[in-house]
Amino acid sequence: MNVKRWRVTYMLLLLLFIFPAAGFAEKLVVIDPGHGGKYSGTCGFSGNTTGICEENVNLSVGLKLRQILNNYGIKVVMTRETDMEFAPYLQGETGDFRLRMNLANAAAANNNDNSLFVSIHHNAHPTNRYVKGIETYYYDGLNYYQADYPPDPMQLGYLEQSRRFAQATHPQLVSNLGTLDRGIRNNQSFYVIRNAQMPAILVELGFMTNPEEEGRIKTNSYQTSAALAMAKAVLEYYKVFEVHNESGKTVKTFKTESDAINYANTLSYTSKVFNKDTQNYVYSTSKFEVYHKSLGYLGNFPSEQAAINYAKGYAHTRVISKDTQFTTWSNFLEKKYQLFVNDSLVNSFYDYEFAMSEAKKVANAKLVNSMTKEVLWTNTPGVVVNDTLKASKVSGKDRLETAIAASKKLYPNGFTQDHKDKVVILATGYDFADALSAGPLSSLYNKAPILLSRGNVLTESVKQELIRLGTKKVVIVGGTAAISAEVEQSIRNLKMEVERISGKNRYETNKSILQKLGNVNGLFVASGANFPDALAVAPIAADNKWGILLTQKDSITLPTGLDLTNKKIVITGGAGAVSDNVQKQLANAYPKSYFTRLAGADRYETVAKVLWHFKDSLDPTQINITTGKNFPDALASAPLSIGTKSPLILIGDSVNPNVESYLMEVSQMKNVADIYNVGGVVTDEAVNSVVNKVK
C-alpha cells in the first residue's frame, strides 16, 4: 500500500476511535487545506519556478488558523497537516475528495450541529493575469442542485447554517486582506461543500495568477491576516442562541438570548434555548415533567394540563412542577396531606412541602396526615403538633466506628442470653466486596452484625465491641491479605471461636460464601468491581435467603453445587456493569432458572428498580439511607436492614425521582416510624427530602 494512502486509512481509523458513536457537544472546526501531494492546485504566476503552489499556501493558512482557534479553546481537526494526497491519480480527484470528506465527516460524527467545515483555496484565471479578489462559496442545494453532482443528504439540512457561516466569513476576509470583493457565491456544486455533513464553506483567498496578489499571498502577514479573519468569523458564527425542538433539532437561530426565549415561548411544543457559544442550554419552556413510578422520566411539557393529558396514557405516573419540584397530579398516589383552615378542610396535597408552602400563606391553618391523623404543622393557637418523625444518624468518626455504631443500634445491650447464635462477621473495611457478599451470612447466623477491621491489627474499638456484644464466634470473611493471621490470633486470644471463609480473590471468597449458605432460594448477580448494585440487594438477599454472586463485567466463574432449578436469578445493573455475555453464560449454566435484569440509567435508578421489584417483601416501617458515592460508610448499612426487612436507600446529592415515587407510595401503605442515616455523610437537605416524602 502507498505510504500516503496508508496514512489516510490510519487517520480515518484513528478518528473513528477518537470520535466514537456516543454523541457529545463541543465546538469543532474541520479545516481542509485544499489539494496536496500529487494534486498541487494552481501554481499561479511563479509557482513553477519557486515551487510554491496552491497546496503549500493552503496548508500554511490552515495551520495558522488551527493555532488561533486552539487558543480560543475550539477543537480543530485538519484533513491534512503535510503535503499529501488522499488518493492516487488512478482514482482521480473525485477519489481524493471522497477520502478527504470521509475523514472530515468522521470527525464531526454525532456532533454535526456544533461542527464547521472550511476548505481553504487560492484562485487562478486561465487567461487574465489582472483578475484578483476574494470569493466565498457555500452550497445552495435548493437553487443550484445538479443531478450529476448530488449532495450528501445531511448537507441539505445545513443550507441555512452554511449560508450564515459564509456571511460571517466573507466580510472579515475582504476587510482583513484589503483586496477586491468578488462576493459570496452559491452557484457551484464543489464536492467538499456539498458532501460535508456539517455547515460548510469554501474560501478562495486571492488569485495566484495575478503577480501582485500572488506576491502578497506568499507572505506571512497575508496568510496570518486570512487566518485571523476566518477565526473571527468562526467566533461570530457561534455567538448565537438556537431554539431546539423536543428532538434537539434547531428550529430557529437568534442573535440575542431574549429573542430566542420569546420565540420559544410562542411554540406549542416544549423547546429549549441553546447557547451555541457556551454549548449549554440556558432556557426551557418545559414547566412540568411526567414520571412513571418505576420507569422514571417519560417527558416534559410546557403546561400542567399537557403533562396530565400525557400522563393519563400510563398507569403509575405523576406530574412534577419543574419550578417547585412539587407533585401536582398523580394516578397512583393519594393526596395524603390535608390543609384545614378554621377546622374546615380546604385542600389536599401529594407533597408535604407543597402542603406546607400553602399552609403558611393563611392564618388558623393546620396540616394533617390523613393516615395517622397527626397534626404535622399549625399556626393555630392551642393546637398540639405531634410530628415526631426525624432522621437519626448512625455513624462514627471513620468506617470502622460507623460499623460499630450500627452494631450498637442492632444490639444496644449486646446479645441476649437466649440469642441462638452469638456470631459476629468481620470483614475488611478497605474493600467493599467481602463485606457486601457476606450480607446473606448475617441472616444465616441469626442477624449477625458485620464489623469492619483493619488488615493487620484488631483495633481496640472493634475488640471492645466484640466483648460488649458477648461474642462467642467470629466469622472472618476474606484471606490473610484482607485480614491478617495476627488479627485472627488476637480474636482467639479473647477466647472466641474463629472461622475464616476465604478464597484467593474476591470472586473466590464470594463463591466460598455461597457454598456456606447452601441451598439458596434465589440468586442476585452484581458487579464485583463497584459497590452500589450489590449493596442495594444485600438486605433483600439476607431476608429472603438468596445468595449474591459477584462477577466481572464480561466473564464469570460459576460456583459448584448451586441448585437454581425453577428459581429466580436477578442481575442488578446494566450491561456496562454485567454484560450480556455474562447473562448468556448464566442462562447456559442454569437453563431452568428464571432471569430478570434490574437496571437503570445510573446506580440510583437501579436501586429504585430493585425497591419496586421487591416492594412486597420489604417493610418500610424503618427506612435506612446511606451514600451512593463511596463504599466505606455504606458497608454498615446492610445489617441494619437485615431482619427488619427495611428498605435500604442509596442517595447522591439529591433523591432520585424514582426513589421518591417509591417512598411516597409505600408511606401511604404503612406508617414510617424510623429513618436512619447510616454513615452521616448524606447531606441534610437530601435527608430532609426523604423525611418529608414519608411523613
Side-chain angles (χ1 to χ4, degrees):
M1 180 184 287
N2 178 286
V3 173
K4 291 181 180 177
R5 293 284 315 285
W6 177 88
R7 188 187 301 152
V8 173
T9 303
Y10 172 77
M11 288 176 68
L12 283 168
L13 291 172
L14 183 62
L15 281 169
L16 288 172
F17 175 76
I18 295 173
F19 307 111
F24 57 91
E26 181 180 26
K27 288 185 283 189
L28 169 73
V29 177
V30 180
I31 300 174
D32 172 43
H35 303 282
K38 296 176 181 179
Y39 305 102
S40 63
T42 182
C43 287
F45 178 73
S46 65
N48 289 321
T49 302
T50 63
I52 300 175
C53 296
E54 182 184 0
E55 61 183 354
N56 309 115
V57 289
N58 291 348
L59 179 60
S60 181
V61 173
L63 292 172
K64 287 177 168 60
L65 176 57
R66 177 176 68 177
Q67 183 61 52
I68 297 167
L69 291 176
N70 283 164
N71 290 341
Y72 281 103
I74 295 176
K75 188 177 183 66
V76 174
V77 170
M78 304 283 293
T79 58
R80 67 180 180 95
E81 299 178 3
T82 60
D83 184 17
M84 57 173 283
E85 74 275 3
F86 290 79
Y89 277 131
L90 198 61
Q91 293 187 17
E93 279 201 295
T94 300
D96 192 82
F97 293 149
R98 178 175 54 79
L99 290 174
R100 184 185 297 265
M101 295 314 297
N102 284 349
L103 191 151
N105 291 333
N110 300 298
N111 192 36
N112 309 73
D113 289 355
N114 297 302
S115 301
L116 291 173
F117 176 86
V118 54
S119 190
I120 299 172
H121 291 261
H122 290 78
N123 226 330
H125 194 283
T127 59
N128 189 343
R129 58 187 284 184
Y130 297 104
V131 176
K132 65 178 183 178
I134 304 296
E135 298 172 349
T136 302
Y137 290 87
Y138 70 95
Y139 181 66
D140 184 345
L142 295 177
N143 298 315
Y144 294 98
Y145 173 79
Q146 298 179 45
D148 291 340
Y149 305 106
D152 186 294
M154 288 185 68
Q155 177 56 215
L156 297 179
Y158 292 113
L159 300 181
E160 174 58 28
Q161 289 86 344
S162 293
R163 181 189 63 80
R164 187 167 69 80
F165 187 23
Q167 289 176 337
T169 304
H170 190 74
Q172 295 290 346
L173 287 171
V174 172
S175 175
N176 269 34
L177 297 178
T179 188
L180 186 68
D181 180 356
R182 293 178 58 86
I184 298 173
R185 305 189 176 203
N186 61 351
N187 59 346
Q188 296 292 331
S189 296
F190 293 130
Y191 187 99
V192 292
I193 56 173
R194 76 172 191 269
N195 283 287
Q197 296 176 346
M198 65 199 100
I201 61 171
L202 183 149
V203 294
E204 295 279 7
L205 300 177
F207 280 74
M208 296 185 74
T209 48
N210 180 304
E212 181 272 332
E213 194 153 75
E214 183 199 44
R216 296 177 61 212
I217 285 169
K218 291 180 179 180
T219 65
N220 182 68
S221 61
Y222 188 93
Q223 294 168 14
T224 300
S225 293
L228 285 167
M230 288 186 283
K232 189 173 181 180
V234 168
L235 297 176
E236 181 184 334
Y237 173 87
Y238 281 113
K239 288 185 181 298
V240 294
F241 297 86
E242 296 175 339
V243 177
H244 290 180
N245 63 17
E246 293 164 300
S247 301
K249 294 299 181 182
T250 302
V251 179
K252 202 166 184 179
T253 302
F254 296 87
K255 279 289 186 182
T256 68
E257 181 177 339
S258 59
D259 285 345
I261 290 173
N262 289 338
Y263 178 77
N265 286 331
T266 68
L267 300 176
S268 60
Y269 50 82
T270 300
S271 59
K272 295 180 180 180
V273 174
F274 183 69
N275 184 329
K276 204 170 186 69
D277 186 37
T278 59
Q279 294 283 290
N280 67 296
Y281 285 104
V282 294
Y283 180 77
S284 173
T285 60
S286 166
K287 301 299 182 185
F288 295 88
E289 294 179 324
V290 175
Y291 281 88
H292 186 276
K293 74 175 187 180
S294 58
L295 298 177
Y297 174 79
L298 294 182
N300 57 74
F301 301 86
S303 70
E304 181 181 22
Q305 192 56 54
I308 291 172
N309 291 342
Y310 181 82
K312 284 180 177 179
Y314 298 82
H316 312 302
T317 54
R318 63 186 176 119
V319 173
I320 300 175
S321 165
K322 288 187 68 177
D323 291 335
T324 64
Q325 294 301 303
F326 297 153
T327 300
T328 62
W329 180 92
S330 178
N331 58 12
F332 76 100
L333 295 173
E334 294 179 8
K335 291 185 174 181
K336 176 180 170 182
Y337 305 100
Q338 297 178 325
L339 173 59
F340 289 84
V341 177
N342 295 320
D343 287 329
S344 296
L345 178 64
V346 296
N347 210 342
S348 298
F349 303 87
Y350 301 105
D351 268 309
Y352 171 77
E353 294 99 328
F354 194 2
M356 276 291 294
S357 67
E358 294 300 304
K360 289 180 178 180
K361 295 177 181 178
V362 293
N364 296 319
K366 65 179 178 181
L367 204 58
V368 176
N369 181 321
S370 63
M371 285 178 56
T372 64
K373 306 305 179 184
E374 290 180 334
V375 177
L376 302 177
W377 179 90
T378 187
N379 58 9
T380 303
V383 176
V384 177
V385 174
N386 46 11
D387 176 15
T388 58
L389 182 61
K390 307 292 180 186
S392 304
K393 284 187 179 181
V394 179
S395 63
K397 63 182 180 181
D398 59 22
R399 62 194 72 185
L400 275 61
E401 298 293 329
T402 294
I404 290 170
S407 174
K408 289 179 176 177
K409 177 63 67 175
L410 280 169
Y411 297 103
N413 300 310
F415 293 127
T416 60
Q417 191 67 32
D418 60 348
H419 194 85
K420 180 183 176 184
D421 295 306
K422 296 179 175 63
V423 174
V424 172
I425 298 166
L426 190 66
T428 175
Y430 297 88
D431 196 357
F432 65 88
D434 291 347
L436 288 185
S437 59
L441 283 176
S442 177
S443 181
L444 182 69
Y445 291 111
N446 194 21
K447 200 177 177 182
I450 299 177
L451 297 182
L452 305 178
S453 175
R454 297 189 185 279
N456 57 2
V457 63
L458 184 69
T459 61
E460 183 63 24
S461 58
V462 174
K463 173 183 172 181
Q464 291 303 319
E465 180 61 11
L466 290 173
I467 294 170
R468 186 195 71 82
L469 285 165
T471 307
K472 297 298 183 184
K473 178 179 178 179
V474 175
V475 176
I476 297 176
V477 178
T480 53
I483 296 181
S484 69
E486 288 77 11
V487 172
E488 181 177 340
Q489 187 56 50
S490 296
I491 297 169
R492 293 186 189 277
N493 293 343
L494 297 174
K495 308 302 180 186
M496 298 174 187
E497 182 185 349
V498 177
E499 177 184 358
R500 187 184 286 270
I501 302 175
S502 65
K504 63 183 180 181
N505 57 38
R506 65 180 60 187
Y507 301 103
E508 294 299 320
T509 296
N510 173 239
K511 288 198 296 181
S512 297
I513 291 171
L514 282 169
Q515 289 168 351
K516 183 71 176 179
L517 291 173
N519 186 28
V520 295
N521 293 330
L523 186 69
F524 287 109
V525 181
S527 170
N530 208 348
F531 76 94
D533 296 339
L535 176 63
V537 301
I540 298 169
D543 278 326
N544 294 277
K545 200 182 176 185
W546 281 41
I548 299 174
L549 177 59
L550 300 181
T551 177
Q552 298 180 70
K553 176 186 173 183
D554 294 310
S555 63
I556 189 168
T557 304
L558 297 169
T560 57
L562 198 61
D563 182 12
L564 294 170
T565 303
N566 297 324
K567 296 177 182 177
K568 295 178 181 178
I569 297 177
V570 174
I571 299 172
T572 56
V578 181
S579 71
D580 292 336
N581 184 48
V582 167
Q583 185 168 344
K584 289 177 184 176
Q585 292 178 57
L586 288 164
N588 291 334
Y590 307 111
K592 296 183 179 180
S593 299
Y594 305 101
F595 285 86
T596 302
R597 185 188 283 270
L598 300 177
D602 57 25
R603 61 188 60 185
Y604 306 106
E605 288 199 7
T606 296
V607 169
K609 298 275 187 181
V610 170
L611 292 170
W612 282 115
H613 191 80
F614 290 94
K615 187 186 76 168
D616 292 341
S617 64
L618 294 170
D619 181 356
T621 303
Q622 174 182 312
I623 292 174
N624 300 319
I625 61 178
T626 192
T627 177
K629 291 185 173 182
N630 53 72
F631 72 85
D633 291 308
L635 289 183
S637 306
L640 279 180
S641 294
I642 293 167
T644 62
K645 299 184 182 294
S646 305
L648 177 57
I649 310 294
L650 269 62
I651 295 178
D653 295 326
S654 59
V655 184
N656 177 276
N658 296 19
V659 174
E660 276 189 356
S661 295
Y662 171 82
L663 292 170
M664 293 172 77
E665 181 176 89
V666 298
S667 69
Q668 292 182 159
M669 299 177 178
K670 203 156 199 177
N671 187 38
V672 178
D674 297 296
I675 297 177
Y676 295 118
N677 176 12
V678 185
V681 298
V682 177
T683 65
D684 290 342
E685 183 181 2
V687 171
N688 289 336
S689 180
V690 172
V691 172
N692 289 337
K693 292 301 176 188
V694 300
K695 277 180 180 282

